[in-house]
């Protein structure tokens, strides 16, 4: 006989750990299954820092979710022995009229967020680590900052354990199938389990478990760089807000120095490499480094010192770059959180709440119309 639970969560990374915690705190008998360590560096929830920002250029509909995410991160941090969220302010910058700048401004204005508009010259005067063209525009929003992703996962897992959850690492899910009683059966490389409900938070492996996500949640190889600044004092959290920047070479993002040597940054859709998450090139190459270093030398010259670290991670992109948060039409006992398209981690605290709502009630009070699975 298979062990029976109320809910099984497949994948205990950023989204899965939050989901397990929310379910367990509601008194649900929940099992979390993770194929790697907790936390680990094979997916999309590692790398020391992750941006969080309220000025959301991607769509104003994200802002209410972010406001709730901030509340939940603060609550989680109060229950943890290490800081999780660092507020530095955030910058969205690019040529005048660029969609990144205009989208950031639109979100601020629609939701009454405090912000300032700065020219590239004004930005460089205030924060000398930036070396943007003088005519560029920047939206500064003071609530932005960064999360420490590995500690966020640890904090959610600790909270889940205290609430009675069972979490098993190093146990790979092979498949799942519906049962005659309307539940699910999950088979791993160790055992079989059954549950009334299943939540899939499998990151770049999501399409392997949900046919409807084939060609919709597409894994992409991403590389990040940490370069030692020539002027370290310019790249501290107090002097260097997190940023998104649109330039002719693409869209980039970055952070102050935190925890490990080097100022960290990356290019969205790094080299546009669609990959198999089980067979990608995980070791960064000289070509990866050259692409990133050329950008830093152009726009952050005081930060473009010796390379300290390069690291790969995975994006899982949808065609419209918006998330999938929904139950499966043919299997309403299965809830999916997928396709976070390189901008999802900051939402993990509230996504855990949403996925718990969907799993238990089939609906949520949060605004999730943008994230239906049938839009594709």
């Amino acid at each position: 006989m298979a062990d029976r639970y109320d809910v099984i969560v497949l994948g205990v990374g950023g989204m899965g750990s939050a989901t397990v915690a929310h379910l367990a705190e509601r008194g649900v008998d929940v099992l979390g299954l993770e194929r790697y360590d907790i936390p680990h560096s094979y997916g999309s929830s590692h790398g020391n820092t992750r941006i969080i920002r309220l000025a959301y250029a991607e769509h104003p509909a994200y802002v209410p979710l972010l406001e709730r995410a901030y509340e939940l991160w603060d609550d989680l941090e109060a229950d943890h022995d290490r800081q999780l969220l660092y507020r530095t302010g955030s910058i969205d910058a690019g040529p005048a009229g660029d969609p990144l700048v205009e989208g950031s401004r639109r979100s601020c204005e629609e939701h009454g967020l405090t912000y300032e508009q700065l020219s590239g010259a004004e930005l460089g005067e205030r924060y000398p680590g930036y070396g943007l063209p003088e005519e560029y525009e920047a939206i500064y929003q003071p609530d932005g900052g960064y999360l420490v992703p590995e500690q966020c996962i640890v904090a959610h897992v600790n909270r889940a354990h205290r609430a009675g959850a069972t979490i098993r690492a190093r146990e790979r899910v092979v498949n799942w199938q519906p049962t005659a009683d309307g539940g699910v059966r999950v088979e791993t490389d160790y055992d079989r389990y059954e549950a009334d409900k299943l939540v899939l938070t499998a990151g770049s492996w999501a399409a392997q478990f949900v046919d409807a996500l084939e060609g919709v949640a597409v894994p992409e190889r991403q590389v990040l760089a940490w370069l030692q600044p020539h002027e370290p004092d310019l790249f501290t959290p107090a002097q260097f807000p997190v940023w998104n920047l649109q330039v002719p070479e693409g869209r980039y993002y970055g952070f102050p120095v935190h925890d490990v040597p080097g100022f960290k940054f990356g290019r969205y859709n790094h080299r546009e490499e669609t990959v198999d998450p089980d067979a990608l090139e995980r070791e960064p190459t000289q070509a990866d480094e050259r692409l990133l270093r050329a950008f830093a030398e152009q726009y952050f010259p005081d930060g473009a010192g010796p390379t300290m670290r390069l690291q790969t991670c995975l994006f899982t992109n949808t065609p419209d770059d918006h998330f999938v948060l929904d139950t499966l039409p043919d299997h309403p006992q299965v809830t999916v959180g997928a396709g976070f398209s390189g901008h999802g981690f900051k939402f993990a605290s509230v996504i855990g709440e949403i996925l718990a709502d969907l799993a238990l009630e089939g609906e949520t009070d949060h605004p999730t119309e943008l994230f239906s699975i049938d839009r594709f």
Side-chain angles (χ1 to χ4, degrees), residues 187-198:
E187 181 181 352
T188 75
D189 52 5
Y190 275 87
D191 210 341
R192 292 181 182 176
Y193 308 95
E194 291 186 356
D196 298 333
K197 303 292 180 68
L198 175 65

Side-chain angles (χ1 to χ4, degrees), residues 232-252:
D233 290 347
L234 303 183
F235 293 84
T236 66
Q239 294 296 322
F240 194 72
V242 299
W243 52 270
N244 274 257
L245 173 62
Q246 184 66 52
V247 293
E249 297 87 349
R251 181 173 166 183
Y252 291 75

Side-chain angles (χ1 to χ4, degrees), residues 46-51 86 146-150 224 226 255-259 264:
H46 59 281
N48 296 87
T49 50
R50 289 300 170 98
I51 287 176
Y86 292 77
Y146 59 89
L147 296 156
V148 183
E150 292 89 347
L224 298 161
W226 285 255
F255 307 77
V257 176
H258 174 85
D259 197 43
K264 173 190 168 185

Side-chain angles (χ1 to χ4, degrees), residues 52-355:
I52 185 167
R53 53 195 168 90
L54 279 174
Y56 221 65
E58 286 76 0
H59 198 287
Y62 284 96
V63 176
L65 296 178
L66 281 161
E67 290 173 330
R68 177 59 175 160
Y70 270 85
E71 292 175 359
L72 291 168
W73 288 126
D74 286 339
D75 177 71
L76 185 67
E77 183 178 277
D79 199 29
H80 191 58
D81 60 358
R82 290 181 59 178
Q83 188 171 347
L84 302 178
L85 197 166
Y86 292 77
R87 289 171 170 82
T88 63
S90 65
I91 298 292
D92 293 301
D98 186 85
L100 174 62
V101 177
E102 294 306 313
S104 178
R105 188 199 331 271
R106 176 187 169 197
S107 284
C108 289
E109 292 179 349
E110 285 195 16
H111 292 279
L113 304 177
T114 300
Y115 78 96
E116 293 180 68
Q117 180 174 318
L118 305 170
S119 68
E122 291 168 333
L123 180 65
E125 289 175 6
R126 184 179 298 186
Y127 300 113
Y130 288 80
L132 309 189
E134 292 186 356
E135 69 277 10
Y136 271 31
E137 292 183 351
I139 300 298
Y140 170 78
Q141 207 288 317
D143 298 300
Y146 59 89
L147 296 156
V148 183
E150 292 89 347
Q151 282 302 309
C152 291
I153 292 170
V154 170
H156 272 133
V157 167
N158 287 346
R159 176 171 283 189
H161 278 148
R162 288 194 296 270
T166 301
I167 298 174
R168 301 182 186 277
R170 293 280 173 167
E171 187 162 350
R172 183 173 65 89
V173 172
V174 177
N175 60 49
W176 70 270
Q177 59 187 17
T179 56
D181 63 359
V184 293
R185 180 177 296 112
V186 175
E187 181 181 352
T188 75
D189 52 5
Y190 275 87
D191 210 341
R192 292 181 182 176
Y193 308 95
E194 291 186 356
D196 298 333
K197 303 292 180 68
L198 175 65
V199 180
L200 288 160
T201 49
S204 287
W205 292 264
Q208 297 179 11
F209 298 102
V210 179
D211 291 343
L213 293 178
E214 186 67 36
V216 169
V218 179
E220 179 183 34
R221 179 177 179 270
Q222 185 72 8
V223 176
L224 298 161
W226 285 255
L227 306 184
Q228 178 61 22
H230 298 299
E231 300 289 342
D233 290 347
L234 303 183
F235 293 84
T236 66
Q239 294 296 322
F240 194 72
V242 299
W243 52 270
N244 274 257
L245 173 62
Q246 184 66 52
V247 293
E249 297 87 349
R251 181 173 166 183
Y252 291 75
Y253 58 99
F255 307 77
V257 176
H258 174 85
D259 197 43
V260 296
F263 128 71
K264 173 190 168 185
F265 64 98
R267 181 183 189 270
Y268 278 100
N269 312 116
H270 176 63
R271 290 165 61 191
E272 301 181 358
E273 299 172 278
T274 298
V275 295
D276 177 344
D278 291 314
L280 74 151
E281 175 58 66
R282 290 196 174 273
E283 182 61 27
T285 67
Q286 290 185 0
D288 296 322
E289 183 177 7
R290 285 194 296 270
L291 183 155
L292 295 169
R293 175 169 290 283
F295 164 82
E297 290 173 348
Q298 177 73 25
Y299 298 101
F300 296 92
D302 288 328
T307 299
M308 295 290 101
R309 184 182 189 187
L310 299 170
Q311 188 173 40
T312 58
C313 70
L314 286 162
F315 281 6
T316 309
N317 302 317
T318 64
D320 60 8
D321 290 331
H322 297 310
F323 311 156
V324 176
L325 302 172
D326 208 347
T327 55
L328 295 183
D330 295 337
H331 300 292
Q333 73 272 44
V334 180
T335 300
V336 174
F340 296 104
S341 303
H343 65 111
F345 189 90
K346 62 183 73 66
F347 296 91
S349 59
V350 69
I351 285 172
E353 188 171 62
I354 290 168
L355 295 177

Side-chain angles (χ1 to χ4, degrees), residues 363-375:
E363 59 185 9
T364 180
D365 291 335
H366 289 293
T368 59
E369 296 80 6
L370 190 63
F371 311 127
S372 66
I373 195 168
D374 61 6
R375 72 186 189 271

